[in-house]
């Protein structure tokens, strides 16, 4: 791996301001292919309106030095992280350069070599100058190169739908690689001013809208690029893509996903985008409970009252309208049929239909319930489980629950009480 920092050359070349001819000479010193590559990339943009102002604002020695310093700090640590994805050090170039607004990060090839181009003008414009943002940016582009080296990166995109599905798929893989390399499954370098919380809160809406646009052959450009916005938020497609790949990882390895054919990707995304979790009221609860073969077991009156008053929250997990899972919370009300200490919420029910088990759906439901509990301000969560239910115990332990022997038993036998600190 070769790291090239051209920040000093940028300062000396453009000390009297930006000039496109000087830039062509500067870029050609990096690679003879680079000037035409960058100019072809921006041919559909207004150079004087969209490109030149960004470059001129970036030609600030103090900002260039800041980016350069943090770039070097990140570069010095890269090999520590790359072993999480690569068996050996990859043969790639990482170049900090002045581009023509071709992107803060660009995974490409120069002189037949895999290359990550880091556009200092876009990095400065986006204020991604600190070490954390630069690290995320570099690792994301390295993720694209990992995909290229290990899978089906160049899928033909001869229709609008194929292009949109492929973009989401490729960016999702790169986001997951970025998270693996930085050791944080919730890391998004786009996360500023509540971006990630907003994405989670609107996940169902985002999925449905992306699928709707695919089905209607509409543009999905709003979801990608810092200059585009979906409901006031940029780069939402990176979140959606990452969530899609994480969904696939419940059944496949990342390498298997990286080698998927378009037909499988398209079918899988349609299923993923059709997944919704809805809160139910009493009116629909009896109907939904029938899927658990409870036809002859009427809804308990205590449950009915708790659902009506909001003391028990019931959520149904559906794919293409089919009920496949359920989760329920009992809140700390003081008058429930459960003894719940103050500031605790109880997971009273969590079920997945047999044919959908072992696909990560239980994890998604539990993650959703934990998120809801946090949003409501609860500091602790409990859940009861049969001590012989090995799969359930494994799932809850994975989410940080710890075992406390329950000092009693119900009609089904002895139970463990599992507790998790929310905050």
């Amino acid at each position: 791996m070769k790291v090239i920092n051209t920040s000093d050359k940028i300062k000396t070349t453009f000390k009297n301001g930006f000039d496109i001819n000087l830039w062509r000479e500067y870029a050609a010193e990096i690679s003879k292919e680079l000037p035409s590559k960058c100019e072809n990339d921006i041919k559909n943009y207004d150079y004087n309106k969209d490109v030149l102002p960004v470059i001129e604002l970036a030609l600030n020695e103090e900002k260039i030095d800041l980016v350069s310093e943090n770039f070097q700090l990140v570069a010095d640590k890269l090999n520590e992280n790359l072993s999480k994805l690569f068996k050996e050090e990859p043969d790639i170039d990482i170049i900090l350069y002045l581009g023509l607004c071709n992107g803060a990060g660009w995974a490409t090839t120069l002189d037949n070599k895999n290359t990550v181009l880091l556009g200092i003008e876009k990095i400065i414009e986006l204020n991604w100058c600190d070490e954390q943002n630069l690290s995320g940016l570099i690792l994301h582009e390295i993720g694209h190169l990992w995909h290229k080296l290990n899978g089906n990166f160049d899928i033909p995109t001869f229709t609008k739908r194929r292009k949109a599905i492929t973009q989401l798929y490729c960016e999702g893989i790169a986001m997951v690689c970025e998270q693996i390399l930085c050791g944080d499954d919730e890391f998004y370098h786009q996360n500023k001013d509540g971006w990630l919380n907003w994405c989670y809160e609107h996940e169902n809406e985002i999925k449905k809208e992306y699928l709707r646009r695919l089905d209607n052959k509409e543009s999905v450009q709003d979801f990608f690029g810092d200059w585009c916005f979906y409901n006031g938020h940029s780069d939402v497609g990176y979140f959606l893509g990452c969530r899609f790949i994480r969904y696939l990882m419940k059944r496949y390895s990342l390498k298997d996903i990286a080698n998927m054919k378009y037909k499988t990707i398209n079918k899988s995304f349609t299923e993923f985008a059709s997944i919704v979790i809805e809160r139910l009221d009493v009116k629909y609860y009896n109907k939904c409970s029938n899927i658990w073969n409870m036809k002859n077991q009427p809804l308990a009156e205590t449950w009915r009252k708790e659902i009506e008053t909001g003391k028990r929250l019931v959520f149904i997990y559906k794919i293409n309208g089919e009920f496949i899972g359920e989760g329920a919370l009992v809140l700390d009300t003081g008058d429930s049929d459960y003894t719940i200490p103050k500031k605790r919420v109880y997971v009273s029910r969590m079920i997945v239909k047999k044919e959908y088990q072992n696909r990560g759906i239980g994890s998604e439901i539990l993650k959703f319930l934990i998120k809801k509990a946090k949003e409501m301000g609860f500091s602790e969560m409990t859940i009861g489980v049969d001590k012989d239910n090995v799969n359930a115990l494994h799932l809850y332990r994975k989410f940080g629950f710890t075992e406390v022997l329950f000092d009693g038993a119900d009609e089904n036998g002895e139970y463990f009480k599992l507790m998790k600190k929310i905050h």
Side-chain angles (χ1 to χ4, degrees):
M1 184 175 66
K2 187 177 180 182
V3 176
I4 301 169
N5 182 348
T6 72
S7 57
D8 287 340
K9 185 69 174 179
I10 293 169
K11 289 188 295 183
T12 56
T13 302
F14 305 104
K15 61 183 177 182
N16 295 319
F18 185 77
D19 177 271
I20 189 64
N21 291 318
L22 282 177
W23 177 86
R24 288 177 181 133
E25 293 175 11
Y26 150 82
E29 288 184 18
I30 298 172
S31 165
K32 291 181 179 179
E33 296 178 3
L34 189 55
S36 59
K37 189 180 188 74
C38 291
E39 292 186 74
N40 286 333
D41 182 64
I42 65 159
K43 62 185 178 182
N44 293 323
Y45 293 92
D46 186 323
Y47 173 79
N48 290 316
K49 179 184 175 183
D50 301 325
V51 177
L52 189 56
V54 176
I55 297 174
E56 290 177 336
L57 283 173
L59 294 178
N60 177 300
E61 188 168 318
E62 186 176 329
K63 290 180 179 178
I64 291 172
D65 286 342
L66 176 62
V67 175
S68 175
E69 179 182 348
N70 286 320
F71 168 73
Q72 203 58 53
L73 289 173
V74 173
D76 290 343
K77 299 175 184 176
L78 273 179
N79 281 330
E80 299 172 14
N81 295 315
L82 295 184
S83 60
K84 297 175 183 177
L85 270 184
F86 296 91
K87 291 182 179 178
E88 55 187 34
E89 185 178 314
D91 184 21
I92 60 177
D93 287 347
I94 300 175
I95 305 172
L96 180 64
Y97 83 124
L98 180 72
L100 300 177
C101 295
N102 306 99
W106 188 2
T108 185
T109 57
L110 283 178
D111 305 317
N112 296 315
K113 189 169 184 182
N114 290 317
T115 303
V116 172
L117 291 172
L118 301 168
I120 199 167
E121 76 288 354
K122 290 296 294 182
I123 290 170
I124 290 172
E125 182 197 23
L126 295 168
N127 196 28
W128 290 353
C129 307
D130 60 282
E131 186 177 353
Q132 184 182 41
N133 275 296
L134 281 171
S135 177
L137 176 63
I138 294 170
L139 296 180
H140 185 86
E141 300 308 322
I142 289 175
H144 280 307
L145 294 184
W146 176 88
H147 188 186
K148 181 181 178 182
L149 293 168
N150 290 275
N152 185 21
F153 187 68
D154 295 315
I155 298 173
T157 56
F158 45 80
T159 67
K160 188 172 283 189
R161 185 185 187 96
R162 288 178 71 100
K163 182 177 180 181
I165 287 284
T166 300
Q167 184 174 14
L168 191 78
Y169 161 74
C170 290
E171 293 298 351
I173 288 179
M175 277 303 319
V176 169
C177 288
E178 178 182 342
Q179 292 173 347
I180 291 170
L181 290 170
C182 71
D184 182 354
D185 289 352
E186 290 294 315
F187 178 76
Y188 292 83
H189 62 263
Q190 300 91 344
N191 188 23
K192 294 283 188 294
D193 302 320
W195 179 89
L196 184 56
N197 286 337
W198 183 89
C199 287
Y200 272 123
E201 288 168 10
H202 295 83
E203 183 173 353
N204 283 342
E205 169 201 326
I206 294 166
K207 288 192 295 190
K208 284 190 212 176
E209 178 59 17
Y210 203 91
L211 182 60
R212 187 196 69 78
R213 294 193 190 191
L214 291 178
D215 291 340
N216 289 281
K217 300 179 181 178
E218 297 178 16
S219 172
V220 295
Q221 185 59 65
D222 294 355
F223 292 81
F224 299 98
D226 58 272
W227 64 95
C228 297
F229 299 89
Y230 170 73
N231 283 359
H233 294 78
S234 64
D235 287 341
V236 173
Y238 293 86
F239 168 81
L240 182 61
C242 186
R243 294 290 290 159
F244 173 45
I245 300 304
R246 289 285 181 189
Y247 167 74
L248 292 175
M249 287 173 70
K250 303 295 183 182
R251 285 179 280 169
Y252 307 99
S253 71
L254 186 58
K255 196 161 186 178
D256 285 341
I257 296 167
N259 284 278
M260 277 184 173
K261 302 300 183 185
Y262 171 78
K263 185 177 180 180
T264 304
I265 300 166
N266 182 46
K267 181 181 177 182
S268 298
F269 178 74
T270 301
E271 179 184 85
F272 166 73
S274 301
I275 295 171
V276 296
I277 300 180
E278 295 179 350
R279 180 179 168 183
L280 296 188
D281 57 22
V282 171
K283 180 179 179 182
Y284 296 105
Y285 190 79
N286 274 327
K287 175 184 175 183
C288 296
S289 293
N290 290 343
I291 63 173
W292 313 125
N293 298 317
M294 294 176 61
K295 227 168 192 175
N296 299 320
Q297 299 179 24
L299 188 63
E301 189 60 27
T302 53
W303 276 50
R304 186 183 301 279
K305 287 180 180 178
E306 288 172 352
I307 293 169
E308 286 177 334
T309 59
K311 296 174 183 177
R312 184 183 297 269
L313 309 181
V314 181
F315 301 95
I316 290 291
Y317 194 102
K318 299 191 295 185
I319 296 180
N320 288 322
E322 178 188 358
F323 298 104
I324 63 168
E326 177 183 324
L329 294 174
V330 177
L331 310 187
D332 176 10
T333 62
D335 58 356
S336 169
D337 53 351
Y338 296 93
T339 302
I340 306 173
K342 192 175 182 181
K343 286 294 182 183
R344 186 178 294 176
V345 63
Y346 184 80
V347 180
S348 68
R349 185 169 164 102
M350 212 181 80
I351 310 174
V352 177
K353 285 179 77 173
K354 187 174 181 179
E355 58 265 42
Y356 286 95
Q357 291 176 3
N358 300 314
R359 291 175 59 175
I361 292 170
S363 294
E364 287 298 312
I365 293 174
L366 184 55
K367 190 184 299 183
F368 178 85
L369 295 178
I370 292 171
K371 179 174 175 289
K372 281 293 175 185
K374 286 183 179 180
E375 289 173 356
M376 291 184 288
F378 287 93
S379 59
E380 198 167 84
M381 174 181 279
T382 60
I383 187 166
V385 60
D386 192 312
K387 68 176 182 178
D388 296 323
N389 191 340
V390 177
N391 290 337
L393 285 167
H394 175 73
L395 173 66
Y396 302 140
R397 288 176 186 135
K398 187 174 76 172
F399 277 84
F401 286 81
T402 55
E403 298 174 23
V404 178
L405 186 63
F406 189 49
D407 56 358
D410 69 4
E411 59 189 15
N412 296 315
E414 186 178 7
Y415 276 67
F416 280 104
K417 183 164 59 178
L418 298 154
M419 301 170 59
K420 176 182 175 67
K421 292 286 185 183
I422 302 293
H423 298 301

